[in-house]
Amino acid sequence: MSRAHQYHQPSALDPQSDESDSDLELDLRELDPHISDGDHGKGGAQYSGQAGRGRTERQIPLRSLRVGRSTGVERESHIFGDDDETAHDGEQLQGLSNENTTSEDSHRSFSAVEDEAPLLSRKGGLTPRTGNHENTRRSMFSPLRLVSFMRNGFDNSNPQPGDARGRQGGGISRTIRIGQYPPPRFPPNAVSNAKYTAWSFLPLTLYNEFSFFYNLYFLFVALSQIIPFLRIGYLSTYIDPLAFVLTITLGKEALDDIRRRRRDSEANKEEYTVLRFQDSQLDHSIGAKRTKALRARSVKMKGRYVSSKRTRLDAIEEEEEGMANDPTDSLSKIEFDQVKIKSRDLKVGDVLKLGKDQRIPADLVILKSYPTESAVSAFDPETSAAHAPVTPGSFLEHSEDYRAAVAKGMEPKMNQSETTESSRLSRDIEGAGETFIRTDQLDGETDWKLRLASPLTQSMDPRNFTQIRLVAAKPDRKVNEFFGTVEYSPQPMTASTASNGSGIQSQREDKGIQTAPLNIDNTAWANTVLASNATVLAVVVYTGAQTRQALSTSASRSKNGLLDYEINNLTKILFTLTLTLSIVLVALEGFEPRDNEEWYVAMMKFMILFSTIIPISLRVNLDMGKSVYARFIERDQGIPGTVVRTSTIPEELGRIEYLLSDKTGTLTQNEMELRKIHVGTVSYANEAMDEVTSYIRQSFSTASSDVMQASSLFTPSSTYHTSSGGASTTRTRREIGSRVRDLVLALALCHNVTPTTEEADGHSFTTYQASSPDEIAIVRWTESVGLRLMHRDRHSMALQAVDNSRVVVRVRVLDVFPFTSEGKRMGIILQFSQGTESTATPADSREIWFYQKGADTVMTSIVAANDWLDEETANMAREGLRTLVIGRKKLSSQQYQEFSSRYKQASLSLQHRDSNMGRVIKDHLERDLELLGVTGVEDRLQKDVKPSLELLRNAGIKIWMLTGDKVETARCVAVSAKLVSRTQYIHTITSLPTDLGASAATDALSLLRSKPDSTALLIDGNSLSHFLAYHQEAFISLAVLLPAVIACRCSPTQKADVAALIRQFTRKRVACIGDGGNDVSMIQAADIGVGIVGKEGRQASLAADFSITQFHHLTKLLVWHGRNSYKRSAKLAQFVIHRGLIISVCQTVYSISTHFQPHILYRDWLLVGYATVYTMAPVFSLVLDRDVDEALAKLYPELYKELTSGATLSYRTFFIWVTVSIYQGSIIQGLSQVLVGSVDPPQRMVSVSFTVLVINELIMVACEVVTWHWIMTASLLGTFALYAGSVPFLGDYFDLSYVWSWGFVWRVAAISAISLVPPYSVKILRRTLKPPSYRKVQGI
């Protein structure tokens, strides 16, 4: 915990950072290897680390060594092996810093333009470091460091702890200069959810297509027709269908990807305000002439100039010419314009101007922050120049002096002018540099995050930004970690002005370079949202693929449905059947040559003849069916706004067994509301809150009705009084009123909320900013009951009575103890002003109170003994409310003085500082607090979340909640959303002790093994990481059996790992749903990714397979559309396989009758027409069939559970259809040959068998329809009419004279009856004896 003046401040600079400026000064030992004290030989890193300690008298400025620079450049050219002028250009490319460089090379970089160099080569690829000979590097660094390191600003050979100026995480840092020309080359800042590029589309899509066996089989069959002796019929008969299939499939993939790119383009076209810096007298400066010369030698690449002749010598000369100018004069020439830039065009080094509720497009470092009402002054050079910047040190010293005075029981006296000036300075500093961001789209945490501008840049004129250099660590996926420094180079400073005494920034005495550290508090990552009513100036440090969000997001992958894999396995069985049948037919002839053909040629021809067993139209029908399902989903008025982004897997919606859901924005609205309070003897909720309002109005009302009279200031010790007088008020009511007042006062003061005033449509209103939405909800509630937070800064607060708008409470903030995940509580020490606004009492008589609120698990042992706390907190928890216990304690001046001295002493500890400070707080403050009451805050759930989760559970879907939020928050939401039923026990695993080894993990899982059906698991991110790393199989095998799992504090990568692990272990279908950028990895790792269009962004929606607008839409998407899609696709696939099998059986019977000759039965058009115009429309119309209506599907979610077993399309149903096909094919072809009697010529027999074949397929489709649609009827009748109308044109295949005879008619009717009646009779009998579930619920 930190003190009040330390709260909201960036971390202090590492003590070593101001003593290790070895890039500006050079020890004489480095110039002469013979001067050595023994330490020099230990390596550059060890030596340079001592360069500034005790030997400064032997150092000289590096600028004095200009004579050596030419030699240095020549030496470098020799190292790279280039002796001509092109060596400089090659040196730029070969010396570029690579983010993936090994740690061995990263800290020995020496290129003058290295930190400004691109991460990608000119061709767009990563450039590996060259010159990696160890001896060469050592010889380069040992004699002399080049002058060019003055430009880069740090010595990579001496990385400082916690400083980004050296290696970070095994990589190298980057240097960013604002207004640099040409700007460094880094990845473009473009959002891309596309799966393919123009170059990868064909290779990847073709690979995905031919990775399926049946597509590969079709390809070999089509290629076989190129061989003349294997050709059977027309070549187009086999080539065209395959080309058609590939065209349809590739076209769908291309269309889906084009849609993704269009949606990405919307995000990339979002405009932002960028400051563009320029020198008003650029043409008259030496630097401008050199810049023009360089630009004349440059090549323009994608709109940005990159010099092809820029060398280290050029960089040094430019730097020296620039320093020759007067920096004060140059600042007066700097101007900047505000221009609108699209998000995709933002570059590293651009300075953005951001406002409230604006999405942050790239990873930024905050330079300056102003309240919106005062932001104009930041851009007014006269205004900003008129006010001298206030050093943070002066303010901190003032704060310490005041705290010391309070601890001694007196307050410093100041005259009116001093008070006014002090107030102005305090407001300038306290209100500046702070901003809040919402990170729920990045890490899932609902709490707002406080972000600070560096003190070095906060008080700076924006025109000075061109003199800033930032050093940032290499791109990393850790969203809660950042290392960097900011350096400012004004006019050279003297030693007397170099030290500010604040400890916040260090200055280099020789050149006046001011340096300050940067950490996570100074950043705003991409895809977060600016929440404060402030104007923020921030510089871009990482773009595009190097942002934290992009690095935490897995790449898009092509998804294929389980049905596709099942059909692929079935086609392998059919291929085996085809191969076996071909071998048998050849074997019956004894493998003898026939008709001048070898036996293997005959076998190949048989396989081609029987290729219809695996119908090529199968994939066409399925893909077209998927497009129809997607259209049904998007046009459903019951789920408006739903978008199908991946149209290849809609039937997967009917096979889901695990649903992984985010919490914030998915299950909840992230809108908190205080619903209940309990003060020990009575609780208030709903309409009873009006009584609380009356208590507060009576308690803080003044005796005088004169509005102009100064109101009295209330303290916790003030007597509770009522406007109606004590005679008519019972003692019990006064006691309850006093308790309610004390609780409301504590809630109005114990927080970190800051009120801000905003204007909209000409009306001003107050909004609140805080790091936690819970605190905002509580402060809003106190305002609703009559006590408003009017003012808050770091050192004071004022409360206002709502009914008369008078200030009734004014306090000084002495110490703040922020909430932490470990402590689970927040505390504050306040000093109350007494008397009236105009006449305040002396400081020594003012009351000092300590307030604290926190989770009941920790507050139970802190508050005084009571008999109702545990019971009431349990009751609220069962209602799904987030409970907070509030307590207080009065401190005397002596007690506070003793605490303050002990606390300050503990804060100076070099070891175990946090634990020492916590121990002091516990010993002096957290003992026997007066229990004031308990509050219950509700995180509003999304619409119909409770019934939706219940329906999904009844459908057999196991639901996991993965969130980045706190454990207590997740527990409350799980209970309130009914994710965990009241009969289930929640087994919690948090902070798993890893030092105990495997025993701790085994013990943690032991309870789950005993009752897996009635126990839910609650686990935090650290424990989950331990299980996944060391006990993966034991954990996942048990977790998948639980009815519900809640994982808290999960990173985006952990979410994706859990989804992939469930898929891998169970082989079941996993769906993931989320609304934030932190859910993208999880969504892409799932079999089905569902994105909700969130309030703060559309990243999850853009990356998902299906996009919805409300969570409850998911139930209809799964239970109705998913079920229909799967059942329709399964029935469609079975009919297409049946259609191909039956014609192959006919071919087999015909081949047997022709003495095993590979002669084709249905040639050319008959073969193509049968699979297309004569049967395709009726078979495809099955995509309109449904067995139950929507109401029954939702009423009986158990119907969905049946689909997860895959019984609709299984080996059992497949072999049933194979048996039916063999029977019908044998009857049709066998009876045709028997009844017609003539096989040679085959025209009569073909006309009968083909006609029966078409009629048989049409009637089979009609027998399978459950719910008729007019399109089905039209397709059946239309297809039969089309066939009848085409018969006169089939003279090449039919005996038309025979077709018009009665003999043809009765033969067709008899054969059709024999082939259809037995299978249909068996189906009716089976349906009667064992009716399917859909008939049971329909009551049929």
Side-chain angles (χ1 to χ4, degrees), residues 213-233:
F213 175 79
Y214 51 82
N215 280 340
L216 192 62
Y217 175 74
F218 298 151
L219 177 62
F220 283 123
V221 171
L223 294 178
S224 69
Q225 296 304 289
I226 301 176
I227 304 174
F229 61 83
L230 292 179
R231 184 174 300 172
I232 300 176

Short mmCIF file of all heavy atoms in Angstrom, two decimals, residues 213-233:
data_model
loop_
_atom_site.label_atom_id
_atom_site.label_comp_id
_atom_site.label_asym_id
_atom_site.label_seq_id
_atom_site.Cartn_x
_atom_site.Cartn_y
_atom_site.Cartn_z
N PHE A 213 -10.32 -36.62 -48.25
CA PHE A 213 -10.08 -37.76 -49.11
C PHE A 213 -10.95 -37.75 -50.35
O PHE A 213 -10.49 -38.05 -51.46
CB PHE A 213 -10.29 -39.07 -48.33
CG PHE A 213 -10.17 -40.30 -49.17
CD1 PHE A 213 -8.93 -40.81 -49.51
CD2 PHE A 213 -11.31 -40.94 -49.64
CE1 PHE A 213 -8.82 -41.94 -50.30
CE2 PHE A 213 -11.20 -42.08 -50.43
CZ PHE A 213 -9.95 -42.58 -50.76
N TYR A 214 -12.25 -37.43 -50.19
CA TYR A 214 -13.14 -37.55 -51.34
C TYR A 214 -12.80 -36.54 -52.43
O TYR A 214 -12.94 -36.83 -53.60
CB TYR A 214 -14.62 -37.44 -50.92
CG TYR A 214 -14.98 -36.26 -50.06
CD1 TYR A 214 -15.22 -35.01 -50.60
CD2 TYR A 214 -15.13 -36.41 -48.69
CE1 TYR A 214 -15.58 -33.94 -49.82
CE2 TYR A 214 -15.49 -35.35 -47.89
CZ TYR A 214 -15.72 -34.11 -48.46
OH TYR A 214 -16.08 -33.05 -47.68
N ASN A 215 -12.33 -35.33 -52.04
CA ASN A 215 -11.90 -34.38 -53.07
C ASN A 215 -10.66 -34.89 -53.80
O ASN A 215 -10.52 -34.73 -55.02
CB ASN A 215 -11.62 -33.02 -52.44
CG ASN A 215 -12.89 -32.24 -52.18
OD1 ASN A 215 -13.93 -32.53 -52.78
ND2 ASN A 215 -12.83 -31.26 -51.30
N LEU A 216 -9.75 -35.48 -53.04
CA LEU A 216 -8.55 -36.03 -53.66
C LEU A 216 -8.92 -37.19 -54.59
O LEU A 216 -8.34 -37.36 -55.67
CB LEU A 216 -7.58 -36.49 -52.58
CG LEU A 216 -6.15 -36.85 -53.01
CD1 LEU A 216 -5.47 -35.63 -53.61
CD2 LEU A 216 -5.35 -37.37 -51.83
N TYR A 217 -9.88 -37.98 -54.18
CA TYR A 217 -10.35 -39.09 -55.03
C TYR A 217 -10.96 -38.57 -56.33
O TYR A 217 -10.68 -39.09 -57.42
CB TYR A 217 -11.37 -39.91 -54.24
CG TYR A 217 -12.03 -41.01 -55.03
CD1 TYR A 217 -11.33 -42.17 -55.35
CD2 TYR A 217 -13.35 -40.89 -55.46
CE1 TYR A 217 -11.94 -43.19 -56.08
CE2 TYR A 217 -13.95 -41.89 -56.18
CZ TYR A 217 -13.25 -43.05 -56.49
OH TYR A 217 -13.85 -44.05 -57.21
N PHE A 218 -11.79 -37.53 -56.22
CA PHE A 218 -12.37 -36.94 -57.43
C PHE A 218 -11.29 -36.41 -58.36
O PHE A 218 -11.39 -36.52 -59.59
CB PHE A 218 -13.32 -35.79 -57.06
CG PHE A 218 -14.49 -36.22 -56.23
CD1 PHE A 218 -15.08 -35.35 -55.33
CD2 PHE A 218 -15.02 -37.50 -56.34
CE1 PHE A 218 -16.16 -35.74 -54.56
CE2 PHE A 218 -16.09 -37.90 -55.58
CZ PHE A 218 -16.67 -37.02 -54.69
N LEU A 219 -10.24 -35.84 -57.79
CA LEU A 219 -9.16 -35.30 -58.60
C LEU A 219 -8.46 -36.41 -59.39
O LEU A 219 -8.21 -36.25 -60.60
CB LEU A 219 -8.16 -34.56 -57.70
CG LEU A 219 -6.93 -33.99 -58.40
CD1 LEU A 219 -7.32 -32.93 -59.42
CD2 LEU A 219 -5.95 -33.40 -57.39
N PHE A 220 -8.17 -37.52 -58.72
CA PHE A 220 -7.50 -38.63 -59.42
C PHE A 220 -8.40 -39.24 -60.50
O PHE A 220 -7.93 -39.61 -61.58
CB PHE A 220 -7.07 -39.70 -58.42
CG PHE A 220 -5.83 -39.34 -57.66
CD1 PHE A 220 -5.83 -39.30 -56.28
CD2 PHE A 220 -4.66 -39.02 -58.33
CE1 PHE A 220 -4.69 -38.96 -55.58
CE2 PHE A 220 -3.50 -38.68 -57.63
CZ PHE A 220 -3.52 -38.65 -56.26
N VAL A 221 -9.69 -39.32 -60.22
CA VAL A 221 -10.62 -39.84 -61.23
C VAL A 221 -10.66 -38.92 -62.44
O VAL A 221 -10.64 -39.37 -63.60
CB VAL A 221 -12.02 -40.03 -60.62
CG1 VAL A 221 -13.04 -40.35 -61.71
CG2 VAL A 221 -12.01 -41.14 -59.59
N ALA A 222 -10.71 -37.60 -62.18
CA ALA A 222 -10.74 -36.65 -63.29
C ALA A 222 -9.44 -36.69 -64.09
O ALA A 222 -9.45 -36.66 -65.33
CB ALA A 222 -10.98 -35.24 -62.75
N LEU A 223 -8.30 -36.79 -63.39
CA LEU A 223 -7.02 -36.84 -64.11
C LEU A 223 -6.87 -38.14 -64.90
O LEU A 223 -6.18 -38.17 -65.93
CB LEU A 223 -5.86 -36.69 -63.11
CG LEU A 223 -5.75 -35.33 -62.40
CD1 LEU A 223 -4.60 -35.36 -61.40
CD2 LEU A 223 -5.55 -34.21 -63.42
N SER A 224 -7.51 -39.19 -64.42
CA SER A 224 -7.40 -40.47 -65.15
C SER A 224 -8.02 -40.40 -66.53
O SER A 224 -7.65 -41.17 -67.42
CB SER A 224 -8.07 -41.58 -64.33
OG SER A 224 -9.48 -41.40 -64.30
N GLN A 225 -8.96 -39.49 -66.72
CA GLN A 225 -9.61 -39.38 -68.02
C GLN A 225 -8.73 -38.72 -69.06
O GLN A 225 -9.08 -38.68 -70.25
CB GLN A 225 -10.92 -38.61 -67.87
CG GLN A 225 -11.94 -39.32 -66.99
CD GLN A 225 -12.23 -40.72 -67.49
OE1 GLN A 225 -12.87 -40.91 -68.52
NE2 GLN A 225 -11.73 -41.72 -66.76
N ILE A 226 -7.61 -38.17 -68.61
CA ILE A 226 -6.65 -37.63 -69.58
C ILE A 226 -5.91 -38.75 -70.29
O ILE A 226 -5.48 -38.62 -71.44
CB ILE A 226 -5.66 -36.68 -68.86
CG1 ILE A 226 -6.42 -35.53 -68.19
CG2 ILE A 226 -4.62 -36.14 -69.81
CD1 ILE A 226 -5.55 -34.60 -67.39
N ILE A 227 -5.80 -39.90 -69.61
CA ILE A 227 -5.13 -41.07 -70.20
C ILE A 227 -6.10 -41.73 -71.18
O ILE A 227 -7.19 -42.14 -70.79
CB ILE A 227 -4.71 -42.06 -69.09
CG1 ILE A 227 -3.83 -41.34 -68.06
CG2 ILE A 227 -3.99 -43.26 -69.70
CD1 ILE A 227 -3.49 -42.19 -66.86
N PRO A 228 -5.72 -41.84 -72.43
CA PRO A 228 -6.67 -42.32 -73.46
C PRO A 228 -7.25 -43.70 -73.16
O PRO A 228 -8.46 -43.90 -73.29
CB PRO A 228 -5.84 -42.32 -74.74
CG PRO A 228 -4.76 -41.32 -74.49
CD PRO A 228 -4.45 -41.43 -73.03
N PHE A 229 -6.44 -44.67 -72.75
CA PHE A 229 -6.98 -46.02 -72.59
C PHE A 229 -7.81 -46.18 -71.32
O PHE A 229 -8.41 -47.24 -71.11
CB PHE A 229 -5.84 -47.06 -72.62
CG PHE A 229 -4.83 -46.90 -71.53
CD1 PHE A 229 -5.04 -47.41 -70.26
CD2 PHE A 229 -3.63 -46.23 -71.78
CE1 PHE A 229 -4.10 -47.26 -69.27
CE2 PHE A 229 -2.69 -46.07 -70.77
CZ PHE A 229 -2.91 -46.59 -69.52
N LEU A 230 -7.87 -45.15 -70.47
CA LEU A 230 -8.73 -45.20 -69.29
C LEU A 230 -9.98 -44.35 -69.46
O LEU A 230 -10.85 -44.35 -68.58
CB LEU A 230 -7.98 -44.72 -68.04
CG LEU A 230 -6.84 -45.60 -67.53
CD1 LEU A 230 -6.18 -44.97 -66.32
CD2 LEU A 230 -7.33 -47.00 -67.20
N ARG A 231 -10.07 -43.63 -70.57
CA ARG A 231 -11.19 -42.72 -70.76
C ARG A 231 -12.47 -43.49 -71.00
O ARG A 231 -12.53 -44.40 -71.82
CB ARG A 231 -10.91 -41.78 -71.92
CG ARG A 231 -11.99 -40.72 -72.13
CD ARG A 231 -11.60 -39.74 -73.20
NE ARG A 231 -10.35 -39.04 -72.86
CZ ARG A 231 -9.72 -38.24 -73.71
NH1 ARG A 231 -10.16 -38.08 -74.93
NH2 ARG A 231 -8.60 -37.65 -73.33
N ILE A 232 -13.53 -43.09 -70.27
CA ILE A 232 -14.85 -43.68 -70.42
C ILE A 232 -15.82 -42.54 -70.63
O ILE A 232 -16.08 -41.75 -69.71
CB ILE A 232 -15.24 -44.50 -69.18
CG1 ILE A 232 -14.24 -45.63 -68.94
CG2 ILE A 232 -16.65 -45.05 -69.32
CD1 ILE A 232 -14.51 -46.43 -67.70
N GLY A 233 -16.37 -42.41 -71.78
CA GLY A 233 -17.30 -41.32 -72.08
C GLY A 233 -16.57 -40.02 -72.32
O GLY A 233 -15.38 -39.98 -72.65
#
